[in-house]
Amino acid sequence: MKYKIHILVCFALILSFSGYSQQGKQKRADTLFNKFSFVKAADVYKDLIAKNYNKDYATRKLADCYAYLRNSEKASRYYKSAVKQENIPIEYYYKYAQSLRGIKKYKESEIWLQRYKDSGGVVHANDFSKDVNFISSVFGAKQQYFLEKVPFNSKFSDFGAFEHEGKVYFASARDEGVGVKRVYGWNEQPFLDIYTADVDTEENVDHSNKVKGDVNSVFHDGPATVTKNGQTMYFSRNNFTDGMEVKDGQGLTNMKIYRATLIDGEWTNIEDLSINSDDFSTQHAALNNDDTKLYFTSDRPGGYGGSDIWSVNIEPDGSLTGLENIGNIVNTESAEGFPFINNEGVLFFSSDGHTGLGLLDIFATIKGEDEQTIVDVINLGVPVNSNNDDFAFTMNSDGITGYFASNRKGGKGSDDIYAFHREPLLTVEGVVSDAINTKPIANAKITLFDDEDNQIAYMETDENGFYQINIDRHQDYKIVASQDKYIDDYRMFTSKNIQTELTSITANLLLNPKPNVVKLAELNTIYFDFDKHNIRKDAALELDKIVSLMQNDYPEMVIRIESHTDSRGKLTYNDKLSIDRANATYEYLTSKGIDPTRITEHKGFGERRLTNGCEDGSTCEEADHQLNRRTQFIVVQME
């Protein structure tokens, strides 16, 4: 009996030690998780699941590890198990929905997002169910960006590439060729450093390509940006002062932006900026076009949530003033970062708070009429964005080429740099004007046809007579303008063989007013005697009819006077004679009470517009010459 009791006691002690062992593992996993060592934490949580110890909890935490590691495929697998648990915290419905977007299961993602909202969850920013057509519209949009892999990616994380004076700068976790390697606990990769290489390099980029000077430290350094004159660098770095890593009250080392100066080919004089703090992160420096404003990412107090994009002014002495959050058109309750300003002043940034294709997507801002205010943001679409993280977008000064980073499938490392060239959207645009008075015509109908006369677009001009239509490159087109009171006008044009940088083709259109047959019949032509400009009696009768018509029947009608001669006499003399006839006609009408503003012009054309073949040297009867000695009336405006 004592022997049996001894066995039972030993067995209980074994179970107890086993329980304490698993409990210790869970505590170790949680410690690693809280220290952001997600790779190591995931290994321990998997072991706990295999041993069936607190399996539900370990499954949720393992899913969270993969979510932080931006591995949507593995995260969704464990979130799928987690959401089946009883009394699961409802935020896991949202996490599962997000992970499903990361593997392109958009319809299923919407179902779980709705489940989250039905359970009482509130979605403030990235409610991707609001626009059910977003995915189809993004994938159906005409491709504008075309990607190329760069030769200097590594098996580690590479991002933040930009060009300056024939060099490409980028941040990388490659640390090959270095004897002692320190690794970052979050993803078990070496710490970041800033590298540079020739833009067209085909050679391996290793530790020898690190920027020279004091920029790179033993912790994270990068990404960076450089001023236009190449003398100043702003770069991100862990809070690292006097050789010591500085932690906040929670034991975390935040990021700061530092400034370095190029002296004799080396970046030195490292300066801790006034916008930094030990208590929050400041990183991802970007400069506007004239280097007078610094944009950056920060989770400092006063933001909208997560991390926001902020800006400060750079004064001539280098001091920073006017700290400003750029607002809630860009910033959301989630994370925004990696700002970049192109030559046109457009802000590009990454976000998981705006409606996107998966995790981080790249967006561009849309400015208002004042060219200063941001009124909206637009997703750059595929292939720049994917179902994974897409970030660190930069554009070269040509506005056509640039770089971004992504952890999408098919890359060489965890984050890879992609080069792009873009075909900017091409538009045909112009103004539709009245051919008589050159005033713009509002609400004119604009119809665009392809080279086979198929209608492909339709719109109306605005109050300034302006229209603009997106078109494809490498095509032939016909554009037609029409308006009820005018005769149609059209233009043929092509987008073939034009420069890639060209973004618009101008096609202005002129519409002539439609002549009213009844009214024109009453505006009879008047005639003159040879070498005379006085108003004959028969002409006066016709002019009196016009006066009556304009004063009584059509009080808003506006006309134009055109006078002519026959071909006999010198050209210059006939020009003057026709002007005298136009003046005589004008003076007669105005003397009878016609408002001068209702006659847009009275002009002489000499012998240049003969109505028959009675040119100089030809034999014509007097009656034929008489037909050319005339004044005609053109209706400009009917009502």
Side-chain angles (χ1 to χ4, degrees), residues 231-246:
Q231 297 303 300
T232 304
M233 174 186 288
Y234 294 85
F235 66 98
S236 301
R237 174 191 280 179
N238 283 117
N239 190 354
F240 183 68
T241 304
D242 297 328
M244 297 294 293
E245 186 180 15
V246 181

Side-chain angles (χ1 to χ4, degrees), residues 403-632:
Y403 302 92
F404 70 94
S406 178
N407 64 348
R408 66 189 62 188
K409 286 186 176 180
K412 188 175 181 180
S414 57
D415 297 312
D416 282 293
I417 296 168
Y418 292 83
F420 71 80
H421 72 273
R422 62 185 284 262
E423 287 190 351
L425 286 175
L426 182 65
T427 64
V428 57
E429 60 185 43
V431 175
V432 179
S433 304
D434 187 307
I436 306 302
N437 57 27
T438 69
K439 292 182 179 179
I441 301 174
N443 305 121
K445 298 175 182 177
I446 303 295
T447 310
L448 184 68
F449 297 90
D450 63 16
D451 57 356
E452 296 181 353
D453 214 32
N454 297 311
Q455 179 179 324
I456 56 177
Y458 170 85
M459 69 171 300
E460 292 187 355
T461 57
D462 63 16
E463 66 273 11
N464 299 311
F466 179 76
Y467 74 90
Q468 185 181 67
I469 301 174
N470 292 337
I471 59 174
D472 291 334
R473 295 173 185 269
H474 319 299
Q475 300 289 332
D476 293 320
Y477 294 98
K478 179 177 77 172
I479 194 160
V480 179
S482 59
Q483 219 262 15
D484 292 341
K485 299 178 182 180
Y486 295 87
I487 301 170
D488 292 359
D489 186 25
Y490 73 92
R491 293 283 185 276
M492 310 294 292
F493 69 94
T494 184
S495 61
K496 295 178 179 177
N497 303 317
I498 62 174
Q499 293 179 325
T500 303
E501 293 82 0
L502 191 67
T503 59
S504 67
I505 295 173
T506 300
N508 294 323
L509 296 135
L510 293 173
L511 300 186
N512 283 289
K514 286 182 179 178
N516 185 298
V517 176
V518 175
K519 296 171 186 174
L520 284 179
E522 298 184 54
L523 297 182
N524 290 328
T525 300
I526 64 172
Y527 296 94
F528 296 85
D529 292 332
F530 176 69
D531 200 24
K532 303 289 186 186
H533 66 269
N534 60 290
I535 303 298
R536 300 188 324 202
K537 288 184 178 180
D538 61 329
L541 292 174
E542 296 303 325
L543 291 176
D544 288 341
K545 291 179 183 179
I546 294 174
V547 170
S548 176
L549 193 70
M550 294 180 71
Q551 288 181 335
N552 301 318
D553 298 325
Y554 304 103
E556 295 182 359
M557 186 168 70
V558 178
I559 64 171
R560 184 174 78 245
I561 296 171
E562 296 181 351
S563 297
H564 310 269
T565 70
D566 61 31
S567 63
R568 293 174 291 183
K570 292 184 178 180
L571 182 66
T572 55
Y573 180 83
N574 285 336
D575 284 343
K576 181 180 183 305
L577 179 58
S578 66
I579 293 171
D580 290 340
R581 288 172 177 173
N583 290 336
T585 306
Y586 173 80
E587 290 168 0
Y588 187 95
L589 292 176
T590 55
S591 71
K592 295 293 185 177
I594 298 301
D595 186 342
T597 61
R598 297 178 64 192
I599 303 174
T600 59
E601 60 181 340
H602 47 290
K603 191 172 182 179
F605 293 89
E607 61 182 84
R608 290 176 174 79
R609 295 185 178 181
L610 301 175
T611 62
N612 48 35
C614 296
E615 293 89 359
D616 286 333
S618 61
T619 302
C620 285
E621 298 292 333
E622 176 60 27
D624 293 325
H625 284 300
Q626 173 69 90
L627 294 176
N628 289 320
R629 299 193 301 268
R630 71 200 188 277
T631 289
Q632 295 173 299

